[in-house]
Amino acid sequence: MFRSLLVLPALVASSYALVSAVDSSQLVSTATYSKALGEGFTKAIIRGYEEACGVGGEVDPNFVSSYNNARAAGYTDIDTYWFPCNGSGNNCKSYATQLAELGATFNAHSMKIGTIWIDLEKDSVCNNWNYGTAGNQAQAQSLIAAMKATGFNFGIYSTPGEWSSMFGSTSFVLDNAAPLWFATFNNVQSLTLGTPFGGWTSAVGHQYTDQSASGLFDLSVFAH
């Protein structure tokens, strides 16, 4: 989700009765959001918190501006995602502190956010999720507990491969009662979970490509 994006023609939304969504980890202008909205991408997901492992995690410096730009473009369905700072070699803030900083940003800027998606994937730059299988599972359980304590609506973003790499198996169940947004870059705009993982047998969101016309978005479909 934090990877560089290529510039290719936008994909045309399918005939499925699904909501088309854009997500971004970069600053997105009002004009770019307006174009996406005009193309039928009616949901926006903006990175709210980033690893920033050198400083222990931080609210994404572009979060508020991108949110305001999306609102100005006419978006009303806006989620955010949290890429948590962790890793044994990083002096990360506690999960509770990371979430408190994100929540304080919501309040300070009167932001209306639907769901916070927890981004669970490895990053070689920060060398996160390096506690070993049992340690990673324990960290994830601590992370979920911190999120539940906030009272925010949340879901989980991951992939079968990332899940297996972090937790030792696709069968590890963290919280399969939480909604799942999964990534499989197959350009198929459906919610079919080809490889079940984490105890989920279905998903509410599918990120199907990281290639968009603007080069700023990943593209997804979500259930209504």
Side-chain angles (χ1 to χ4, degrees):
M1 188 180 291
F2 55 85
R3 55 185 73 82
S4 298
L5 307 181
L6 302 176
V7 180
L8 291 178
L11 300 180
V12 177
S14 74
S15 58
Y16 289 104
L18 298 171
V19 173
S20 294
V22 291
D23 73 84
S24 184
S25 60
Q26 303 176 61
L27 179 62
V28 179
S29 69
T30 300
T32 299
Y33 273 125
S34 293
K35 188 172 188 297
L37 188 61
E39 292 172 350
F41 293 91
T42 58
K43 182 182 186 71
I45 306 169
I46 305 166
R47 184 171 65 187
Y49 203 94
E50 60 184 357
E51 283 183 291
C53 51
V55 296
E58 68 178 6
V59 173
D60 189 315
N62 295 319
F63 179 40
V64 174
S65 293
S66 286
Y67 173 90
N68 288 337
N69 291 343
R71 284 285 181 195
Y75 277 90
T76 57
D77 184 358
I78 301 178
D79 292 350
T80 190
Y81 72 92
W82 170 37
F83 199 114
C85 180
N86 75 12
S88 61
N90 302 319
N91 186 24
C92 293
K93 300 166 186 173
S94 70
Y95 296 133
T97 296
Q98 293 181 48
L99 288 167
E101 291 180 354
L102 183 57
T105 303
F106 297 164
N107 292 335
H109 299 277
S110 301
M111 303 171 88
K112 296 178 180 178
I113 299 294
T115 298
I116 302 174
W117 296 96
I118 305 170
D119 187 346
L120 297 181
E121 60 181 309
K122 284 192 170 183
D123 169 27
S124 60
V125 175
C126 284
N127 192 27
N128 62 351
W129 298 106
N130 65 342
Y131 306 95
T133 297
N136 284 348
Q137 292 178 3
Q139 286 288 323
Q141 288 160 345
S142 174
L143 182 154
I144 290 292
M147 176 60 87
K148 287 183 174 179
T150 68
F152 292 132
N153 293 324
F154 74 93
I156 294 173
Y157 167 93
S158 195
T159 74
E162 293 284 358
W163 201 262
S164 182
S165 176
M166 290 187 295
F167 303 128
S169 168
T170 54
S171 63
F172 170 67
V173 177
L174 176 60
D175 184 358
N176 63 346
L180 173 67
W181 172 28
F182 75 100
T184 302
F185 296 148
N186 57 7
N187 290 322
V188 177
Q189 298 177 48
S190 81
L191 298 178
T192 302
L193 186 58
T195 303
F197 67 99
W200 289 285
T201 56
S202 62
V204 302
H206 173 203
Q207 187 182 68
Y208 58 84
T209 183
D210 61 353
Q211 301 170 0
S212 68
S214 67
L216 296 174
F217 295 130
D218 300 328
L219 307 181
S220 296
V221 287
F222 281 83
H224 278 288

